[in-house]
Amino acid sequence: MGLRIGDTAPNFEIDTTEGKINFHDWAKGSWVFFFSHPADYTPVCTTEMGRTAQLAEQFAARNVKPLGLSTDSVEEHKGWMNDVNETQNTTVGFPIVADKDKKVAELYEMIHPGESTTAAVRSVFIIDPNQKIRLTMTYPMSVGRNFAEILRVIDALQTGDKHGVATPADWELGGDVIIPPSVSMEEAEKKFPQGFKTVKPYLRYTSVK
């Protein structure tokens, strides 16, 4: 049975570029952007590691800790990070899991035999401060991730949690949100005194801050 949205993210203890971590202890109280790579010293991965580092302030503003994973050693990771910093004009400041025996990759089902039996595909797990998996994405090994989308879905999840709302297609921070159908009209009037627009009984838009 695969990991599903709402499951508790499995715990693990492992070496990283910033020392050994117990994942649950390290993540406690924060959101986590956990993302895997097929291997060190590969071009697409290099750009993704660099982009994550460049967005450090954006992640921090959202109380998000990035955590990378590749199935190579700490020493290989550290050498690769020198290349990332040089080529992407940044400084990597987050840990990268050294998953040489693929323990974590298999625990999180990042090995897809149809793609590779030895390397992790580009998996994304967004994990909340209660250590629940809130979103997953899986990319093939040759396709780089869209970081604007990663930040967008984190904003959407955090906005939904804060206000008890859903977000429409292509929603971006500051846009109108949707009142869930489970909220009655009477409840909506109390919960959203700023008002809302009813398009259909099941489709009601409002704004939140």
Side-chain angles (χ1 to χ4, degrees):
M1 184 67 69
L3 292 175
R4 295 178 176 177
I5 291 172
D7 287 350
T8 297
N11 196 23
F12 53 86
E13 289 190 9
I14 201 161
D15 289 329
T16 78
T17 51
E18 296 187 1
K20 187 168 235 176
I21 67 167
N22 174 293
F23 176 63
H24 281 184
D25 291 343
W26 175 84
K28 191 172 183 179
S30 299
W31 290 73
V32 176
F33 163 48
F34 185 29
F35 62 119
S36 61
H37 297 272
D40 294 355
Y41 297 104
T42 52
V44 178
C45 302
T46 298
T47 65
E48 292 186 322
M49 284 292 184
R51 189 61 182 139
T52 303
Q54 291 165 0
L55 292 169
E57 291 184 2
Q58 296 266 20
F59 284 117
R62 294 164 170 82
N63 187 32
V64 176
K65 289 182 173 182
L67 180 66
L69 176 146
S70 181
T71 54
D72 290 300
S73 70
V74 168
E75 288 309 308
E76 288 170 314
H77 287 352
K78 288 181 176 179
W80 177 37
M81 288 308 96
N82 291 332
D83 283 3
V84 172
N85 292 340
E86 176 190 346
T87 63
Q88 307 304 304
N89 192 30
T90 190
T91 301
V92 174
F94 57 89
I96 304 168
V97 169
D99 193 28
K100 283 205 75 171
D101 63 3
K102 304 179 187 66
K103 178 180 75 173
V104 178
E106 291 174 356
L107 183 64
Y108 277 77
E109 299 186 331
M110 297 169 174
I111 305 294
H112 290 205
E115 186 83 349
S116 171
T117 59
T118 60
V121 295
R122 298 180 194 285
S123 297
V124 172
F125 293 87
I126 304 298
I127 299 163
D128 70 19
N130 295 316
Q131 299 173 342
K132 298 295 185 182
I133 295 171
R134 299 295 299 277
L135 179 137
T136 64
M137 301 184 213
T138 304
Y139 293 73
M141 296 166 80
S142 60
V143 178
R145 284 166 267 239
N146 182 326
F147 282 81
E149 171 64 3
I150 288 164
L151 292 174
R152 189 192 79 87
V153 296
I154 291 168
D155 286 338
L157 288 166
Q158 293 182 345
T159 297
D161 286 359
K162 181 178 180 181
H163 299 285
V165 294
T167 52
D170 296 329
W171 177 89
E172 292 186 359
L173 193 62
D176 284 352
V177 296
I178 291 172
I179 301 172
S182 58
V183 178
S184 70
M185 293 298 282
E186 293 76 14
E187 291 171 330
E189 288 170 0
K190 293 177 183 177
K191 190 171 182 179
F192 304 102
Q194 68 272 33
F196 53 89
K197 178 182 177 182
T198 302
V199 179
K200 293 285 184 182
Y202 59 86
L203 181 57
R204 297 166 294 175
Y205 292 95
T206 189
S207 60
V208 294
K209 293 183 180 179

